[in-house]
Amino acid sequence: MEYIKNRFFDRASKCMAEFQRIRKDHGDVVLGQVTIDQVLSGMKGIPALLTETSKLDANEGIRFRGYSIQELQQKLPKLDADGEPLPEGLFYLMLIGEIPTQEDVENLSKDWATRAHVPQHVFDVIDALPKNSRPMTQFTTAIIAMAYDSVFQKAYRAGVGKKYYWDFMYEDVMTLIARLPRIAAYIYRRMYHNGKHIDPNPNLDWAGNLAHMMGFDSVEVKRLLRLYMVIHADHEGGNVSAHTTHLVGSALSNAYYSFGAGMTGLAGPLHGFANQEVISWINEMLEQIGTDVPTDEQIADYIENTLKNGRVVPGYGHAVLRITDPRFTVQQQFAEKYIKHDKTIDVVNQIYRVAPPILEATGKIKNPWPNVDAISGSLLNHYGIVEHNFYTVLFGVSRSLGVLASLVYDRLYGLPIERPSSFPMSWFKEKADGKPGDC
Ligand code: HAX
């Protein structure tokens, strides 16, 4: 499978030359100004990162290498014409910048299948944790445990030259991605199926094999997981899981450490954990109201109470987006195509009608529309993946595709250690008031 690596290098090395030229000859070009509000509101909108794999537009949503989700559904290779694109194809697109052929994705599937063996010590580490440890604790622990195998780390210690870093990072990245479905499925079966594990089927695609190892072999679940893995794969470089992976990688930490750190960020309730929170919040609401077919008024009251209690309405709002997340819409379309009737999905659609005006009326929530997490759990739930504590792990498996493709670029470009400046409150006070002073 060296040809995938060679294709990446052929294409990306042209960009590397541009990176070096721009940095050297145009390093003093001003990109914008930074306001106090931007710094104090979580660095929103500050152009601060170089990320090749995808770009997020506030009013349009995500584009992967320029392609919207709808375009990916048309252009990326599938296993059958009626199905969903293969995540392998999206990884290829993010890494190389070109839409792959069917043969390219089949080769990538085969490459990952040959790398997918998980060493026994990783299972031992998972098994050493209490069975009811949070799935994301087990997932990140397993990822960090695999650093033992890092070829990048070994090469660095052996003194390999900086210009070869990307090659070793590529090897770690491919191996790590290949192993994740097995690890996720292992945690799932350990927690919810008495440790009765299902062997991988090397003839299946990456997402299909994940469904299989979790115990779901229907065509529809495999299609759903392929779609799920595509839409959660990347959301440009500034989101917490992507930025953390990139930041930790800038210290030349290996891919396992970097991605493991990113996953601890994904586990936060304002980020990937929101996909679990949505289902918990809906269940709590239905329990409190005492029905699974609530009226719009009952839902509105519950939302008002959530806000009154100082809690967030999970699945709504976004740090960048100012529209309904296209990743929400494409999942709604999946539900319309395959699912005739499901009470939880009906409630999700009802919340979509009821919540935005209430959130908008607060006057402070910048985006009252649903994000990807508002619906993803209800689809999994429909197909029998009812253990919602596990949902963020599935998000994490998918997120590897974008953030790890980016990590290969980081090492190819030779991006240096990241080190922004920080200041005490007295400095901000001086900037704001024009005179120094303590708080
Ligand atoms: N419910 C209640 N309040 C909300 C809200 C929501 N859904 N979304 C934003 N707000 C509040 C913020 O907490 C903030 O309040 P304070 O001023 O009192 O601190 C105010 O509105 C302004 O926030 P914002 O500028 O609109 O949003 P942020 O960029 O600060 O935060 C979040 C973006 C996604 C974190 C936020 O919208 C949120 O907490 N949403 C609910 C959790 C969620 O769904 N997270 C998943 C996001 C998608 C993702 O990353 N998936 O992985």
Short mmCIF file of all heavy atoms in Angstrom, two decimals, residues 103-149:
data_model
loop_
_atom_site.label_atom_id
_atom_site.label_comp_id
_atom_site.label_asym_id
_atom_site.label_seq_id
_atom_site.Cartn_x
_atom_site.Cartn_y
_atom_site.Cartn_z
N GLU A 103 -11.09 1.62 -6.40
CA GLU A 103 -9.92 0.79 -6.13
C GLU A 103 -9.08 1.39 -4.99
O GLU A 103 -8.58 0.67 -4.13
CB GLU A 103 -9.09 0.70 -7.41
CG GLU A 103 -8.13 -0.44 -7.42
CD GLU A 103 -7.18 -0.35 -8.60
OE1 GLU A 103 -7.42 0.46 -9.52
OE2 GLU A 103 -6.18 -1.08 -8.56
N ASP A 104 -8.96 2.72 -4.98
CA ASP A 104 -8.19 3.37 -3.90
C ASP A 104 -8.78 3.03 -2.54
O ASP A 104 -8.05 2.72 -1.60
CB ASP A 104 -8.20 4.90 -4.07
CG ASP A 104 -7.40 5.37 -5.28
OD1 ASP A 104 -6.41 4.72 -5.61
OD2 ASP A 104 -7.78 6.40 -5.87
N VAL A 105 -10.12 3.12 -2.43
CA VAL A 105 -10.72 2.88 -1.11
C VAL A 105 -10.66 1.39 -0.75
O VAL A 105 -10.48 1.05 0.43
CB VAL A 105 -12.16 3.42 -0.96
CG1 VAL A 105 -12.22 4.91 -1.10
CG2 VAL A 105 -13.13 2.75 -1.83
N GLU A 106 -10.78 0.53 -1.76
CA GLU A 106 -10.64 -0.90 -1.45
C GLU A 106 -9.24 -1.19 -0.93
O GLU A 106 -9.04 -1.94 0.02
CB GLU A 106 -10.95 -1.75 -2.68
CG GLU A 106 -12.45 -1.93 -2.88
CD GLU A 106 -12.82 -2.38 -4.28
OE1 GLU A 106 -11.94 -2.90 -5.00
OE2 GLU A 106 -14.01 -2.21 -4.65
N ASN A 107 -8.25 -0.55 -1.55
CA ASN A 107 -6.87 -0.75 -1.11
C ASN A 107 -6.66 -0.20 0.30
O ASN A 107 -5.95 -0.81 1.11
CB ASN A 107 -5.90 -0.09 -2.08
CG ASN A 107 -5.74 -0.93 -3.33
OD1 ASN A 107 -5.94 -2.14 -3.28
ND2 ASN A 107 -5.42 -0.30 -4.44
N LEU A 108 -7.29 0.93 0.58
CA LEU A 108 -7.16 1.51 1.92
C LEU A 108 -7.81 0.59 2.95
O LEU A 108 -7.25 0.33 4.03
CB LEU A 108 -7.81 2.90 1.94
CG LEU A 108 -7.44 3.86 3.07
CD1 LEU A 108 -5.95 3.96 3.28
CD2 LEU A 108 -8.03 5.23 2.76
N SER A 109 -9.00 0.06 2.60
CA SER A 109 -9.66 -0.91 3.50
C SER A 109 -8.73 -2.08 3.79
O SER A 109 -8.60 -2.52 4.93
CB SER A 109 -10.92 -1.49 2.84
OG SER A 109 -12.01 -0.66 3.06
N LYS A 110 -8.08 -2.56 2.72
CA LYS A 110 -7.19 -3.73 2.90
C LYS A 110 -5.98 -3.36 3.75
O LYS A 110 -5.54 -4.12 4.61
CB LYS A 110 -6.71 -4.25 1.54
CG LYS A 110 -7.76 -5.09 0.85
CD LYS A 110 -7.19 -5.74 -0.40
CE LYS A 110 -8.33 -6.05 -1.36
NZ LYS A 110 -8.04 -5.78 -2.76
N ASP A 111 -5.44 -2.17 3.50
CA ASP A 111 -4.28 -1.71 4.28
C ASP A 111 -4.65 -1.66 5.76
O ASP A 111 -3.93 -2.20 6.61
CB ASP A 111 -3.85 -0.33 3.78
CG ASP A 111 -2.58 0.18 4.48
OD1 ASP A 111 -2.10 -0.49 5.41
OD2 ASP A 111 -2.08 1.25 4.11
N TRP A 112 -5.79 -1.04 6.07
CA TRP A 112 -6.19 -0.94 7.47
C TRP A 112 -6.46 -2.33 8.05
O TRP A 112 -6.14 -2.59 9.21
CB TRP A 112 -7.42 -0.03 7.61
CG TRP A 112 -7.06 1.43 7.44
CD1 TRP A 112 -5.81 1.97 7.39
CD2 TRP A 112 -7.98 2.53 7.30
NE1 TRP A 112 -5.89 3.34 7.23
CE2 TRP A 112 -7.19 3.71 7.17
CE3 TRP A 112 -9.37 2.65 7.26
CZ2 TRP A 112 -7.77 4.98 7.02
CZ3 TRP A 112 -9.94 3.91 7.11
CH2 TRP A 112 -9.15 5.07 6.99
N ALA A 113 -7.04 -3.23 7.24
CA ALA A 113 -7.31 -4.59 7.76
C ALA A 113 -6.00 -5.28 8.15
O ALA A 113 -5.94 -6.00 9.15
CB ALA A 113 -8.07 -5.41 6.72
N THR A 114 -4.93 -5.04 7.37
CA THR A 114 -3.66 -5.71 7.72
C THR A 114 -3.02 -5.09 8.97
O THR A 114 -2.19 -5.71 9.62
CB THR A 114 -2.62 -5.62 6.57
OG1 THR A 114 -2.35 -4.25 6.32
CG2 THR A 114 -3.11 -6.29 5.31
N ARG A 115 -3.41 -3.88 9.31
CA ARG A 115 -2.81 -3.21 10.48
C ARG A 115 -3.70 -3.33 11.72
O ARG A 115 -3.36 -2.79 12.76
CB ARG A 115 -2.65 -1.71 10.19
CG ARG A 115 -1.67 -1.34 9.10
CD ARG A 115 -1.82 0.14 8.79
NE ARG A 115 -0.98 0.59 7.70
CZ ARG A 115 0.20 1.18 7.85
NH1 ARG A 115 0.68 1.40 9.05
NH2 ARG A 115 0.90 1.58 6.79
N ALA A 116 -4.87 -3.97 11.58
CA ALA A 116 -5.91 -3.84 12.61
C ALA A 116 -5.68 -4.68 13.87
O ALA A 116 -6.39 -4.50 14.85
CB ALA A 116 -7.27 -4.19 12.01
N HIS A 117 -4.68 -5.55 13.84
CA HIS A 117 -4.46 -6.40 15.01
C HIS A 117 -4.11 -5.55 16.23
O HIS A 117 -3.19 -4.74 16.20
CB HIS A 117 -3.33 -7.40 14.73
CG HIS A 117 -2.94 -8.17 15.95
ND1 HIS A 117 -3.72 -9.19 16.45
CD2 HIS A 117 -1.89 -8.04 16.80
CE1 HIS A 117 -3.14 -9.67 17.55
NE2 HIS A 117 -2.03 -8.98 17.78
N VAL A 118 -4.85 -5.74 17.32
CA VAL A 118 -4.59 -4.99 18.56
C VAL A 118 -3.80 -5.89 19.50
O VAL A 118 -4.23 -7.01 19.79
CB VAL A 118 -5.93 -4.57 19.22
CG1 VAL A 118 -5.69 -3.89 20.56
CG2 VAL A 118 -6.73 -3.65 18.27
N PRO A 119 -2.64 -5.42 19.97
CA PRO A 119 -1.83 -6.27 20.85
C PRO A 119 -2.58 -6.61 22.14
O PRO A 119 -3.36 -5.80 22.64
CB PRO A 119 -0.60 -5.41 21.17
CG PRO A 119 -0.63 -4.27 20.21
CD PRO A 119 -2.03 -4.11 19.72
N GLN A 120 -2.29 -7.79 22.67
CA GLN A 120 -2.99 -8.27 23.86
C GLN A 120 -2.86 -7.32 25.05
O GLN A 120 -3.79 -7.13 25.83
CB GLN A 120 -2.47 -9.68 24.23
CG GLN A 120 -3.17 -10.33 25.40
CD GLN A 120 -4.69 -10.47 25.20
OE1 GLN A 120 -5.16 -10.79 24.11
NE2 GLN A 120 -5.48 -10.16 26.25
N HIS A 121 -1.70 -6.64 25.16
CA HIS A 121 -1.50 -5.78 26.34
C HIS A 121 -2.53 -4.65 26.37
O HIS A 121 -2.88 -4.15 27.44
CB HIS A 121 -0.06 -5.25 26.41
CG HIS A 121 0.26 -4.15 25.45
ND1 HIS A 121 0.03 -2.82 25.73
CD2 HIS A 121 0.77 -4.18 24.20
CE1 HIS A 121 0.42 -2.09 24.71
NE2 HIS A 121 0.85 -2.88 23.76
N VAL A 122 -3.03 -4.26 25.21
CA VAL A 122 -4.02 -3.18 25.17
C VAL A 122 -5.35 -3.68 25.76
O VAL A 122 -6.00 -2.99 26.56
CB VAL A 122 -4.21 -2.65 23.72
CG1 VAL A 122 -5.26 -1.55 23.69
CG2 VAL A 122 -2.88 -2.16 23.17
N PHE A 123 -5.73 -4.90 25.39
CA PHE A 123 -6.95 -5.48 25.99
C PHE A 123 -6.75 -5.67 27.50
O PHE A 123 -7.68 -5.46 28.28
CB PHE A 123 -7.28 -6.83 25.33
CG PHE A 123 -7.61 -6.71 23.86
CD1 PHE A 123 -7.01 -7.55 22.93
CD2 PHE A 123 -8.53 -5.78 23.41
CE1 PHE A 123 -7.32 -7.45 21.58
CE2 PHE A 123 -8.84 -5.67 22.07
CZ PHE A 123 -8.23 -6.50 21.15
N ASP A 124 -5.52 -6.06 27.88
CA ASP A 124 -5.25 -6.26 29.32
C ASP A 124 -5.42 -4.94 30.08
O ASP A 124 -5.94 -4.92 31.20
CB ASP A 124 -3.83 -6.80 29.54
CG ASP A 124 -3.67 -8.21 28.98
OD1 ASP A 124 -4.70 -8.87 28.72
OD2 ASP A 124 -2.51 -8.65 28.79
N VAL A 125 -4.96 -3.86 29.47
CA VAL A 125 -5.08 -2.55 30.11
C VAL A 125 -6.57 -2.18 30.25
O VAL A 125 -7.00 -1.72 31.31
CB VAL A 125 -4.31 -1.48 29.29
CG1 VAL A 125 -4.70 -0.07 29.73
CG2 VAL A 125 -2.81 -1.66 29.46
N ILE A 126 -7.34 -2.42 29.21
CA ILE A 126 -8.78 -2.13 29.29
C ILE A 126 -9.40 -2.99 30.40
O ILE A 126 -10.15 -2.51 31.26
CB ILE A 126 -9.49 -2.42 27.95
CG1 ILE A 126 -8.97 -1.49 26.85
CG2 ILE A 126 -11.02 -2.28 28.09
CD1 ILE A 126 -9.50 -1.81 25.45
N ASP A 127 -9.04 -4.27 30.40
CA ASP A 127 -9.65 -5.20 31.37
C ASP A 127 -9.26 -4.88 32.81
O ASP A 127 -9.95 -5.29 33.74
CB ASP A 127 -9.26 -6.65 31.03
CG ASP A 127 -9.97 -7.15 29.78
OD1 ASP A 127 -11.04 -6.57 29.44
OD2 ASP A 127 -9.47 -8.08 29.13
N ALA A 128 -8.14 -4.14 32.97
CA ALA A 128 -7.71 -3.78 34.33
C ALA A 128 -8.57 -2.66 34.91
O ALA A 128 -8.56 -2.42 36.11
CB ALA A 128 -6.24 -3.36 34.32
N LEU A 129 -9.31 -1.96 34.05
CA LEU A 129 -10.18 -0.88 34.53
C LEU A 129 -11.50 -1.48 35.02
O LEU A 129 -11.96 -2.50 34.49
CB LEU A 129 -10.47 0.10 33.38
CG LEU A 129 -9.27 0.93 32.91
CD1 LEU A 129 -9.61 1.62 31.59
CD2 LEU A 129 -8.87 1.95 33.96
N PRO A 130 -12.12 -0.82 36.03
CA PRO A 130 -13.44 -1.32 36.44
C PRO A 130 -14.37 -1.37 35.23
O PRO A 130 -14.31 -0.49 34.36
CB PRO A 130 -13.92 -0.26 37.44
CG PRO A 130 -12.69 0.46 37.88
CD PRO A 130 -11.71 0.37 36.76
N LYS A 131 -15.22 -2.39 35.20
CA LYS A 131 -16.09 -2.60 34.03
C LYS A 131 -17.04 -1.42 33.80
O LYS A 131 -17.46 -1.15 32.68
CB LYS A 131 -16.90 -3.88 34.24
CG LYS A 131 -17.24 -4.57 32.95
CD LYS A 131 -17.76 -5.95 33.23
CE LYS A 131 -18.84 -6.31 32.24
NZ LYS A 131 -19.52 -7.53 32.60
N ASN A 132 -17.34 -0.71 34.90
CA ASN A 132 -18.26 0.42 34.73
C ASN A 132 -17.53 1.75 34.61
O ASN A 132 -18.13 2.80 34.76
CB ASN A 132 -19.29 0.46 35.87
CG ASN A 132 -18.62 0.60 37.22
OD1 ASN A 132 -17.40 0.55 37.30
ND2 ASN A 132 -19.40 0.78 38.28
N SER A 133 -16.19 1.71 34.32
CA SER A 133 -15.49 2.97 34.01
C SER A 133 -16.17 3.56 32.78
O SER A 133 -16.59 2.81 31.88
CB SER A 133 -14.04 2.74 33.60
OG SER A 133 -13.32 2.13 34.58
N ARG A 134 -16.17 4.87 32.70
CA ARG A 134 -16.81 5.50 31.54
C ARG A 134 -16.18 4.98 30.24
O ARG A 134 -14.95 4.82 30.18
CB ARG A 134 -16.65 7.01 31.61
CG ARG A 134 -17.51 7.63 32.67
CD ARG A 134 -17.64 9.12 32.48
NE ARG A 134 -18.75 9.61 33.26
CZ ARG A 134 -20.04 9.55 32.87
NH1 ARG A 134 -20.35 9.03 31.70
NH2 ARG A 134 -20.98 10.01 33.64
N PRO A 135 -16.99 4.73 29.23
CA PRO A 135 -16.43 4.22 27.97
C PRO A 135 -15.31 5.12 27.41
O PRO A 135 -14.32 4.61 26.88
CB PRO A 135 -17.63 4.21 27.03
CG PRO A 135 -18.82 4.06 27.93
CD PRO A 135 -18.46 4.75 29.21
N MET A 136 -15.42 6.44 27.58
CA MET A 136 -14.37 7.31 27.06
C MET A 136 -13.08 7.17 27.89
O MET A 136 -11.99 7.41 27.37
CB MET A 136 -14.83 8.77 27.02
CG MET A 136 -15.72 9.09 25.83
SD MET A 136 -14.97 8.73 24.22
CE MET A 136 -13.97 10.18 23.95
N THR A 137 -13.20 6.80 29.17
CA THR A 137 -12.00 6.55 29.98
C THR A 137 -11.30 5.31 29.43
O THR A 137 -10.08 5.28 29.25
CB THR A 137 -12.39 6.31 31.46
OG1 THR A 137 -13.16 7.42 31.91
CG2 THR A 137 -11.17 6.12 32.34
N GLN A 138 -12.09 4.28 29.13
CA GLN A 138 -11.51 3.04 28.61
C GLN A 138 -10.89 3.28 27.22
O GLN A 138 -9.81 2.77 26.91
CB GLN A 138 -12.59 1.95 28.53
CG GLN A 138 -13.20 1.65 29.90
CD GLN A 138 -14.11 0.44 29.89
OE1 GLN A 138 -13.80 -0.57 29.28
NE2 GLN A 138 -15.24 0.53 30.58
N PHE A 139 -11.59 4.08 26.43
CA PHE A 139 -11.13 4.35 25.05
C PHE A 139 -9.81 5.11 25.06
O PHE A 139 -8.84 4.72 24.40
CB PHE A 139 -12.23 5.15 24.34
CG PHE A 139 -12.04 5.34 22.87
CD1 PHE A 139 -11.85 4.27 22.02
CD2 PHE A 139 -12.07 6.62 22.31
CE1 PHE A 139 -11.69 4.45 20.64
CE2 PHE A 139 -11.92 6.81 20.95
CZ PHE A 139 -11.73 5.73 20.12
N THR A 140 -9.74 6.19 25.84
CA THR A 140 -8.51 7.00 25.84
C THR A 140 -7.36 6.21 26.48
O THR A 140 -6.22 6.29 26.02
CB THR A 140 -8.69 8.33 26.60
OG1 THR A 140 -9.38 8.10 27.82
CG2 THR A 140 -9.47 9.33 25.81
N THR A 141 -7.67 5.42 27.51
CA THR A 141 -6.62 4.63 28.16
C THR A 141 -6.02 3.63 27.16
O THR A 141 -4.79 3.48 27.07
CB THR A 141 -7.20 3.87 29.38
OG1 THR A 141 -7.80 4.82 30.25
CG2 THR A 141 -6.14 3.10 30.14
N ALA A 142 -6.89 2.99 26.38
CA ALA A 142 -6.41 2.02 25.38
C ALA A 142 -5.55 2.72 24.33
O ALA A 142 -4.51 2.19 23.90
CB ALA A 142 -7.59 1.32 24.72
N ILE A 143 -5.97 3.92 23.93
CA ILE A 143 -5.20 4.65 22.90
C ILE A 143 -3.80 5.00 23.42
O ILE A 143 -2.80 4.77 22.75
CB ILE A 143 -5.98 5.93 22.48
CG1 ILE A 143 -7.25 5.55 21.72
CG2 ILE A 143 -5.10 6.85 21.62
CD1 ILE A 143 -8.27 6.66 21.60
N ILE A 144 -3.76 5.51 24.65
CA ILE A 144 -2.46 5.89 25.22
C ILE A 144 -1.59 4.64 25.41
O ILE A 144 -0.38 4.67 25.19
CB ILE A 144 -2.65 6.61 26.58
CG1 ILE A 144 -3.54 7.85 26.44
CG2 ILE A 144 -1.30 6.96 27.22
CD1 ILE A 144 -2.93 9.08 25.90
N ALA A 145 -2.23 3.52 25.79
CA ALA A 145 -1.46 2.28 26.01
C ALA A 145 -0.75 1.83 24.72
O ALA A 145 0.28 1.16 24.78
CB ALA A 145 -2.38 1.17 26.52
N MET A 146 -1.31 2.20 23.57
CA MET A 146 -0.70 1.76 22.31
C MET A 146 0.55 2.55 21.95
O MET A 146 1.25 2.21 21.00
CB MET A 146 -1.73 1.84 21.18
CG MET A 146 -2.80 0.77 21.30
SD MET A 146 -3.81 0.66 19.82
CE MET A 146 -4.76 2.17 19.92
N ALA A 147 0.84 3.62 22.70
CA ALA A 147 2.05 4.41 22.41
C ALA A 147 3.31 3.55 22.49
O ALA A 147 4.33 3.87 21.88
CB ALA A 147 2.15 5.57 23.39
N TYR A 148 3.20 2.46 23.23
CA TYR A 148 4.26 1.48 23.31
C TYR A 148 4.77 1.09 21.91
O TYR A 148 5.95 0.82 21.72
CB TYR A 148 3.68 0.26 24.03
CG TYR A 148 4.55 -0.92 24.19
CD1 TYR A 148 5.50 -0.95 25.22
CD2 TYR A 148 4.44 -2.02 23.35
CE1 TYR A 148 6.31 -2.05 25.38
CE2 TYR A 148 5.25 -3.12 23.51
CZ TYR A 148 6.19 -3.14 24.53
OH TYR A 148 6.99 -4.23 24.69
N ASP A 149 3.85 1.05 20.96
CA ASP A 149 4.20 0.59 19.61
C ASP A 149 4.61 1.73 18.67
O ASP A 149 4.79 1.49 17.48
CB ASP A 149 2.97 -0.07 18.95
CG ASP A 149 2.58 -1.33 19.67
OD1 ASP A 149 3.48 -2.00 20.19
OD2 ASP A 149 1.38 -1.64 19.70
#
